[in-house]
Amino acid sequence: MAIRRILQLGDPLLRVISAPVTDFAAAQAVLADLDDTLGEFRRTHGFGRGISAIQIGAPTRVILLRFEGTLYELINPTYAAQSPEMFELWDDCFSFPNLLVRLQRHCSVRIRYQDRHAQHHELTAEGSFSELIQHEMDHLDGILAVDRAPSTALATRDQWLRQQRHRS
Ligand SMILES: [Zn+2]
């Protein structure tokens, strides 16, 4: 287990399409590093809910989420359904922590995935859990939040916080 360096925007590895997991022992080692790395990011940045294996340089289809007090380990996730309804949000990413991106995501998604023991499961996610899953699923295919937004929808974190304060 180790805290790993998080790849930053511009690193070509972030554009790689990750390979399906077949070696679940190896996936468990990746999950341990993802949890350590996510924990460290939350301690140092004060936010963060999910991370994909490619972000620590492991091109394998593994996602770790800590959402509302629950740990989720998603291996080989695929979409079973995506709602036609979309919603707009400000997204962020460990790989560009000072950039906020306004984009659209599906209101709800249903996914199939395997756990660390290769058992199959499904889950349905709505709202902020749904957009979190879509963000991390994109990483598995080399897609970043900035790809889903026009350039007018980008803001540095400092500027975004300034705008939030003016709004409230
Ligand atoms: Zn991200």
Side-chain angles (χ1 to χ4, degrees):
M1 291 192 289
I3 295 164
R4 303 270 293 269
R5 187 177 69 82
I6 298 172
L7 306 188
Q8 295 297 292
L9 181 63
D11 191 313
L13 246 192
L14 286 172
R15 298 310 193 165
V16 163
I17 295 176
S18 295
V21 169
T22 52
D23 178 348
F24 281 76
Q28 288 174 20
V30 170
L31 283 165
D33 284 357
L34 288 174
D35 200 24
D36 288 347
T37 305
L38 176 66
E40 173 67 8
F41 188 95
R42 287 164 69 118
R43 274 189 293 281
T44 55
H45 290 77
F47 66 93
R49 306 170 300 171
I51 187 167
S52 295
I54 192 63
Q55 290 181 278
I56 60 168
T60 180
R61 301 185 86 81
V62 176
I63 291 169
L64 184 138
L65 310 173
R66 284 197 175 274
F67 184 78
E68 293 181 348
T70 304
L71 171 67
Y72 297 87
E73 298 176 339
L74 310 178
I75 299 176
N76 298 331
T78 58
Y79 289 113
Q82 294 169 290
S83 70
E85 300 79 27
M86 309 288 285
F87 72 114
E88 194 171 81
L89 63 135
W90 282 100
D91 201 3
D92 56 17
C93 182
F94 292 2
S95 294
F96 36 91
N98 293 313
L99 193 64
L100 276 291
V101 182
R102 196 175 70 245
L103 48 64
Q104 294 204 335
R105 299 282 191 195
H106 298 278
C107 291
S108 70
V109 293
R110 183 159 187 81
I111 61 162
R112 300 193 178 99
Y113 66 97
Q114 286 170 277
D115 65 23
R116 58 169 54 226
H117 306 295
Q119 297 302 303
H120 291 266
H121 304 273
E122 286 194 19
L123 72 78
T124 300
E126 296 184 354
S128 55
F129 191 35
S130 172
E131 56 96 349
L132 173 62
I133 287 174
Q134 290 168 72
H135 178 110
E136 301 305 337
M137 297 267 290
D138 270 357
H139 275 301
L140 304 184
D141 291 324
I143 298 166
L144 299 173
V146 288
D147 303 344
R148 295 201 178 276
S151 59
T152 51
L154 302 177
T156 64
R157 184 168 295 278
D158 281 351
Q159 178 62 22
W160 178 78
L161 285 170
R162 195 170 292 128
Q163 286 169 0
Q164 299 298 307
R165 277 196 295 272
H166 284 170
R167 234 172 258 167
S168 55

